[in-house]
Amino acid sequence: MNTIVVRRAEFEDITNINQIEKRAGNAFSSMPMDFLCSLPQEIPLHSYGFYEKKIRSNELFVAEIENKVVGFICISNINEESAIHVSEFAVDYTYQKRRIGFQLINVVIELAKKKHKSITLTTFSNVPWNAPFYEKLGFVTIDKSQLNERLVLLLAQESEMGLPKEYRCAMRLWVS
């Protein structure tokens, strides 16, 4: 098995990150048709400028195999909550199921343990490799009545983008 290296992203990685973000969606082709029909035709991808800012603030990490970028994780520090939020996380479709995602999220978990209390994210509750993956790592779904204002707003924005709100959830992992 090839060695997976996780490192901070560099500006020259952005083109690969954009391609991974597109190709990772191929995994959804195995989902039931009613779910696929509920998704927007085009899910907006992050801009080059978005990733530039994340690199400057040390909030973007990539996974490499043999010097090829095959996955990434993008975070935001939510200092007022003493939390890290995972804002984007993807592994190239052809490299999935090799524990690359686990290694990427583990970097964030270790980072959070140093100065934060938790990690939050939003994901699909009905996709087998989304919420169940995070549950195996200790994340729990936050009951809708317990969502803070930031997460309520984020889920609403995702719904406005066309992501079906009935399949979206917010999750949290307490690290301290």
Side-chain angles (χ1 to χ4, degrees):
M1 188 166 124
N2 301 31
T3 302
I4 301 163
V5 175
V6 177
R7 62 169 175 78
R8 292 195 187 275
E10 299 170 356
F11 294 112
E12 50 271 8
D13 295 323
I14 295 174
T15 300
N16 290 327
I17 289 168
N18 287 138
Q19 294 304 312
I20 291 166
E21 193 175 12
K22 290 176 189 173
R23 287 193 300 264
N26 291 341
F28 287 96
S29 64
S30 65
M31 291 297 293
M33 188 55 71
D34 63 328
F35 173 71
L36 293 175
C37 289
S38 73
L39 297 176
Q41 293 285 49
E42 290 286 325
I43 295 176
L45 302 176
H46 291 97
S47 69
Y48 192 92
F50 171 84
Y51 289 123
E52 282 182 321
K53 288 177 186 173
K54 290 299 181 181
I55 289 169
R56 283 191 194 97
S57 61
N58 293 316
E59 295 178 324
L60 183 58
F61 299 86
V62 295
E64 291 181 325
I65 294 179
E66 295 180 351
N67 297 316
K68 179 180 180 179
V69 176
V70 297
F72 71 95
I73 193 164
C74 185
I75 62 173
S76 297
N77 286 296
I78 313 297
N79 294 324
E80 58 275 10
E81 294 177 27
S82 188
I84 289 178
H85 183 78
V86 176
S87 53
E88 187 64 39
F89 182 23
V91 174
D92 189 300
Y93 182 69
T94 58
Y95 287 88
Q96 291 179 3
K97 299 184 181 182
R98 298 187 193 186
R99 297 188 55 82
I100 297 165
F102 172 79
Q103 289 195 30
L104 283 163
I105 196 74
N106 198 48
V107 165
V108 175
I109 291 169
E110 292 306 312
L111 186 65
K113 286 179 179 178
K114 292 177 184 174
K115 63 178 185 173
H116 296 288
K117 293 181 181 174
S118 69
I119 301 169
T120 60
L121 55 86
T122 60
T123 192
F124 285 108
S125 58
N126 66 322
V127 175
W129 57 89
N130 281 182
F133 167 77
Y134 297 114
E135 288 169 352
K136 288 177 189 173
L137 297 170
F139 283 82
V140 294
T141 300
I142 304 169
D143 187 270
K144 295 214 186 286
S145 67
Q146 300 297 311
L147 293 171
N148 64 26
E149 187 177 328
R150 175 182 63 85
L151 293 170
V152 168
L153 180 61
L154 185 55
L155 288 166
Q157 290 169 341
E158 291 175 352
S159 179
E160 288 173 14
M161 287 182 352
L163 297 178
K165 64 182 175 184
E166 65 271 21
Y167 298 127
R168 298 297 288 170
C169 69
M171 301 183 83
R172 180 184 315 276
L173 172 69
W174 294 102
V175 294
S176 64

